[in-house]
Amino acid sequence: MSNDLIKEEQKEPVVYKAKIEEKKSISFVWILPLIVLGILGWIAYESYMKKGTNITVVFKSAEGLKENVTPLEYKGLQLGKVTKISMHEDLKSVKVNILVNNDVARYVASEGSDFWIKKPTVSLTKVSGLNTLISGYKIELSPKFKTQEEYAKGAYKSYFEGLDSQPNDEFDDNGYYISLIANDKSNIEVGTPIFYNKFQIGEITAKEFVFEKVYFTAYIYDKFNYLVNKSSKFVINEALKVKYGASGLNIELGSLYSALVGGVTVVTPNKDEQKISKDEVCLLYGKEDDLKNKEYFNISFSDVNGIEENTPIIFKGIEIGKILEVNLNKNILNTKAFVYEEYKYLLTNKTKFFVEEPTISFDGVKNLGNIVKGNFISLEYKKGDFSNNFIAINKKDLNKISSSVKVELLSENLNSISEKSKVYYKNIEIGRVESYVLTPDLKNVKITIFIDDKYKDLINDHNLFYDMSSKLVEMKSLNLNVNYSGIEPLLNGAIGLIAEKRSDEKLTKKEFKLYSSFKDVERLKRFYNSGFTIEADFDNSFEIKQDMAIVYKNQEIGFVKDIKFDDKKSKVNLFIYSPYKKYITDKSRFFKQGIVNFKASLSGVIFEVDNFSSLIDGSIHLDNSSTTTLSKYQIFASEDEMNKAINSVTIVFDDVEGLQENFSQLTYKGVNVGKVKKISLNEKQKVEVQALIYDDYSSFAKEGTVYYLKKPRISLQEIANAGSTVMAVNIGVIKSESLNRQTKFVGLETQPSVEKSQFGTVFKVEDLTASSVNVDAPVYYKNVQIGKVSKIDLSEDGSKVVVDCLIYDKYTKLIRKNSEFYDISGFEMKFSIFSGSKIESNTFTSLLKGGLVVVTPYEYGEIANPKDKFTLVKTLREDWKSISPSIK
C-alpha cells in the first residue's frame, strides 16, 4: 500500500446531517381497512334483519304450497315466505314453516292473527285469484287486531291453526253480510249468486262446516240492501223441477244458467222491516215448497198398495199436499200428511180420501204420473167441520156413496156387460154397473146400475136403456146394423141412456128393459115423437135412405120419413120433431154428412164417426148459416157442395205449383177460412182456382181483398210454411176495407208489400246492402218483439235494399219520425288477453234469423206513417238499453 493511500485513510471522517421532516398524526394506510370493516358490519346487520321470525301454521292440506316459493301476503303485500313443509305429529295435517320479515313480525306473530290459503276461483259467475294459476297458491294473513294499541296488548305467538276458508273478518266492515244455515243438503259454493226476481243482488262469500251444519256468509251489494230484511226468506234455486200430478209427469227446466251455476233466491214480502243484524242466522231453504205454510193431518189406509213417503195429494188436478211419514201397524197403514194452508178448508169431517190408480185402455191413459212415480191420493170434498184424522176408502165404495139412484134392468143376455161397465148419456159417463144376477126363472139377467147424484134428474119412467156393446155388427134380412160407440164400451161393455130431463116426473118404475142396440130404441123413440113433415129436393148424385137421422148442432131433430124417386130430381119427406120446429126457416138448407170425417195435417190425423145411426148410411144435417132466402128446401151432397153453391170465389194465378184440390187451405191470420175446390186452365192459359169460403163469406168477397200463395221457405235461419213441403201449398188472405162485392181476383205469387194489413202497419227501412235479416225476423223495442220483417226487396232503381217492417197495431205509436232501426243479426265477439273474451247476441232468434231493434229518443217526434223512410244502422249503440222515453 502506498503512503499516499495510507494518508488518505487516516484523514478525519465526513459526518452527514439528517433531514428533519414534520410527522402526521394518522396514516392513510388505515382508512381502507376501516371501510371494509364498515361494509361487513352493514352486511351482517342486513342479514340479521332479513333473517326474520319463524312461525308455524298447521293446515289440513299443503296442496298448492311450495317451499321457498309460496308467499305470505296481506292485501297484496308480501310479508314472508314458506321455508319448510313437513308432516304434523298427528299424521292428519301438515306443518308449514313461514319466515316472516322482521319489520312486520310484531304484527304477524301475534295472537290476533289468522291464516288461510288463497286459491284461484274460476266459475261461470266469478274469476278471482287468477294470478295464482301461474304463481301458485298463497297464504293470506287475516289480522283480528286493527290498532297499534291492540297489538301492544296482544301476546307473542308463533304456532297457529290454519283456517279452511276466508274468515269473516276479511269482509268489509260496512258491507251487508248475512249468515245462513242450510236446512238440507245443498250444492251451494263460494261465488254462488243471490237473486231477487231473477236479478243478481249479491253472492255467497264464505262456506263453513260447524257441528255438522253448513254455514254460509252472503254479501248483499250496497245498492240492493233495501231488498233484504228480517222478513226475507232465502231458498235454493231449483234448476230442474219434476212434478207428478193427475196430468202425468211434468219436467220444468228453469234456465241453462241456473242449471249450471245454481243460485239462491231472496223472497221479501215486507220491504219496511228492519235489516238483518250480523249475529242473526237465517235459514236457507232447500226448495220453494218449504216456504209455504202447511196444515198437518193423519190418514189411515187398509188394503192398499203404492203409498209411500212423498206420495202427492191431488185435488182437481192440483197438488195440494204430500204424505210425509208412513208407518205399518198390523194391516193398517198409518200416514202423516200435510196440505198447504190455502187448502186447509178441504179437511172436513165429510171429506173422503181415496187412492187413484193408473187406467190404461184404448181410450187413453189416465193418471200417467202413477205409472212413472206411483199412485197418488185424491179426495172428494164436502162442507163440514174441520178434522185432522181420516180413514181412506176404496174408490169403488166412493162411487156407491156418490151414486144416489139405483136402477134395475132386465136383459135377455148379459153380452159384454160386466162390473167394469159404465152408463153413458150422450157419451158422458153418468153411472156404472154394480152387479148382475139371473132372475129366479132363469130366463133373463137382472143388472143393477147406480146413477150419480148430479144426474138423478135424468131418471124417470120414460127412460130407454140399450146395450152399447152387445153386437158390433148384425145383419137381418140384408139390413146391416152396426152398433159402434167406441173401443172402451166394446171391450168392457157399456149401457146407454136416452132421456129428457123432467124434474116434475118422479121415478116409479122398478125395472126397465135393456134393449139390444141403439137402433131398437131409436125406432121406438121416433114412434112416440110428434112433429111435422117438410119436402126437400136432391139431385140423385148421392143416396138418401129411409130412417136416416136429421141432425142440427149434434142433436137429432128428425128423420127421413119417405122418398119419392124421379130420374131427374127426387123428393124426400123429412119428419121434424115438434120441439125443433122453430129452427126450420125459409133460409134453411140441408146436406148429407158422410159416414166418416177424415182430416190429416202435420199436427196429426182426425178420424170422426158422426153418430150411431149414420155409421153406415150417414145423416142429413140442417144448416141455418145462409142469409139468402130459398124458394124451396134442398139437400146437397155434402157441406162443401152446399157452400159452393153461393160461397165461392175465383182466383187467377200464373202458376199454382203445389196447390191441390180439397187439400190446399185459405188461411187468414193462421186460421183456415176456406179451401180450394177446383183448379183449371182458362182460355188465356191462366190457372183459375175456385175456392170455397167456410164462414163470413161477405168479408172475403170484397174488392181489394188480396190472395197470395204461401210457399215454403226452408233455410239454415228459418223454416216457414213447412206443411207445404209435405202437404199442399196454401193460399194466404189479406182482407180489404172496401164495401164493394167482388168474386173474381188476381192471385199473387208471394205476400205483397202493403202499408196496412190486418196485423199492423208496414214501415220501410233502407240499406245500401242486404244484411243478415230474413223475412219473419223479429223487430224489437227494449227486447220486446213489436213486429216482424214482412218483405225484403230492392228499391225501384235498384240502388238500395228495402226492408218492410210490419209493426203490430198496439206498438205503432212507438215508431216516430226520428226513431232509428238497428241491425242486431248474428253476434259480436270481443277478445282480449287481459280482460277475457266476450260474446254478445241479443237473442237466439236474432242469432239464427236476424233481427232489428228500434230505438226512439227521449225527444221523440211525430208518429211516423208508412210513407216515412228509415235508414238501417249496422251497429247497435251501446246505450240503447238506457234510453227509455215515456211515449203517450
Side-chain angles (χ1 to χ4, degrees), residues 683-728:
E683 66 279 0
K684 296 181 180 179
Q685 299 303 305
K686 298 284 187 178
V687 182
E688 284 193 358
V689 176
Q690 187 178 10
L692 172 67
I693 306 297
Y694 297 141
D695 300 305
D696 196 14
Y697 171 75
S698 59
S699 66
F700 294 98
K702 286 183 177 181
E703 182 181 4
T705 301
V706 178
Y707 293 90
Y708 63 93
L709 296 177
K710 298 184 69 174
K711 294 184 178 180
R713 296 192 304 274
I714 300 178
S715 65
L716 178 63
Q717 292 88 2
E718 64 174 340
I719 298 177
N721 303 328
S724 303
T725 63
V726 180
M727 307 297 287

Side-chain angles (χ1 to χ4, degrees), residues 87-345:
M87 182 70 72
H88 193 269
E89 290 79 4
D90 61 5
L91 303 181
K92 295 181 181 180
S93 52
V94 294
K95 292 194 300 183
V96 179
N97 187 79
I98 302 174
L99 181 63
V100 182
N101 299 341
N102 270 341
D103 57 340
V104 293
R106 63 186 294 260
Y107 303 112
V108 178
S110 169
E111 63 178 352
S113 297
D114 285 320
F115 301 89
W116 57 282
I117 299 175
K118 184 177 182 180
K119 305 175 183 179
T121 299
V122 180
S123 68
L124 291 175
T125 60
K126 185 177 182 181
V127 177
S128 65
L130 196 56
N131 58 337
T132 60
L133 292 174
I134 300 175
S135 62
Y137 290 11
K138 299 177 181 180
I139 297 177
E140 287 278 339
L141 167 67
S142 176
K144 292 182 181 178
F145 298 153
K146 303 297 182 183
T147 63
Q148 293 285 353
E149 291 75 10
E150 290 177 332
Y151 278 107
K153 296 179 182 178
Y156 171 81
K157 186 177 179 180
S158 62
Y159 186 86
F160 302 88
E161 293 286 341
L163 303 178
D164 295 332
S165 60
Q166 179 182 3
N168 292 347
D169 297 334
E170 283 294 294
F171 303 145
D172 186 2
D173 292 337
N174 298 324
Y176 191 11
Y177 293 92
I178 299 170
S179 298
L180 303 175
I181 182 173
N183 70 339
D184 198 357
K185 297 178 180 179
S186 66
N187 59 349
I188 302 299
E189 299 295 340
V190 174
T192 297
I194 299 174
F195 297 99
Y196 183 90
N197 285 343
K198 298 184 179 181
F199 190 85
Q200 185 172 354
I201 64 169
E203 60 184 279
I204 299 296
T205 55
K207 179 179 180 180
E208 192 173 3
F209 188 74
V210 180
F211 299 116
E212 299 185 357
K213 293 287 186 180
V214 180
Y215 289 84
F216 300 95
T217 300
Y219 171 61
I220 307 301
Y221 303 145
D222 292 341
K223 62 180 178 180
F224 300 118
N225 284 354
Y226 71 95
L227 295 175
V228 183
N229 55 45
K230 290 187 176 182
S231 70
S232 299
K233 303 293 183 183
F234 299 83
V235 59
I236 299 173
N237 290 349
E238 295 180 79
L240 185 65
K241 298 180 182 179
V242 180
K243 294 182 180 180
Y244 303 91
S247 58
L249 178 65
N250 179 24
I251 300 177
E252 179 182 347
L253 180 65
S255 67
L256 180 61
Y257 180 77
S258 60
L260 295 175
V261 178
V264 175
T265 293
V266 180
V267 179
T268 305
N270 186 3
K271 301 293 191 305
D272 298 327
E273 288 282 346
Q274 295 181 349
K275 283 189 176 182
I276 303 171
S277 61
K278 290 185 178 180
D279 56 348
E280 289 184 80
V281 178
C282 299
L283 189 62
L284 178 59
Y285 295 93
K287 50 184 178 298
E288 290 183 12
D289 184 68
D290 295 338
L291 300 179
K292 298 180 181 179
N293 295 326
K294 303 176 180 68
E295 182 67 31
Y296 297 92
F297 64 102
N298 301 308
I299 311 177
S300 297
F301 297 87
S302 61
D303 189 26
V304 66
N305 294 318
I307 300 300
E308 57 186 15
E309 291 183 4
N310 294 319
T311 296
I313 302 173
I314 296 176
F315 179 63
K316 293 186 176 181
I318 300 175
E319 184 175 325
I320 63 171
K322 284 183 181 179
I323 297 294
L324 288 177
E325 299 176 5
V326 177
N327 297 303
L328 184 63
N329 184 9
K330 295 183 179 179
N331 294 326
I332 303 298
L333 191 69
N334 296 319
T335 67
K336 181 179 179 181
F338 74 84
V339 294
Y340 300 117
E341 185 71 25
E342 62 263 37
Y343 302 112
K344 179 181 177 181
Y345 73 93

Side-chain angles (χ1 to χ4, degrees), residues 620-736:
I620 306 298
H621 282 236
L622 167 65
D623 179 82
N624 283 329
S625 63
S626 175
T627 58
T628 305
T629 302
L630 304 174
S631 59
K632 56 184 176 180
Y633 298 113
Q634 186 175 351
I635 304 176
F636 294 90
S638 66
E639 185 177 9
D640 286 350
E641 290 297 324
M642 179 187 70
N643 290 328
K644 190 171 66 172
I646 57 173
N647 291 355
S648 62
V649 295
T650 302
I651 312 168
V652 180
F653 292 96
D654 289 331
D655 188 348
V656 291
E657 181 183 358
L659 216 62
Q660 298 181 26
E661 294 180 356
N662 295 316
F663 285 93
S664 295
Q665 301 288 325
L666 272 65
T667 63
Y668 173 72
K669 290 188 175 182
V671 178
N672 293 337
V673 297
K675 71 176 179 179
V676 173
K677 287 298 297 179
K678 186 178 180 181
I679 303 174
S680 60
L681 286 173
N682 62 16
E683 66 279 0
K684 296 181 180 179
Q685 299 303 305
K686 298 284 187 178
V687 182
E688 284 193 358
V689 176
Q690 187 178 10
L692 172 67
I693 306 297
Y694 297 141
D695 300 305
D696 196 14
Y697 171 75
S698 59
S699 66
F700 294 98
K702 286 183 177 181
E703 182 181 4
T705 301
V706 178
Y707 293 90
Y708 63 93
L709 296 177
K710 298 184 69 174
K711 294 184 178 180
R713 296 192 304 274
I714 300 178
S715 65
L716 178 63
Q717 292 88 2
E718 64 174 340
I719 298 177
N721 303 328
S724 303
T725 63
V726 180
M727 307 297 287
V729 170
N730 292 330
I731 297 176
V733 185
I734 300 177
K735 278 188 175 182
S736 169

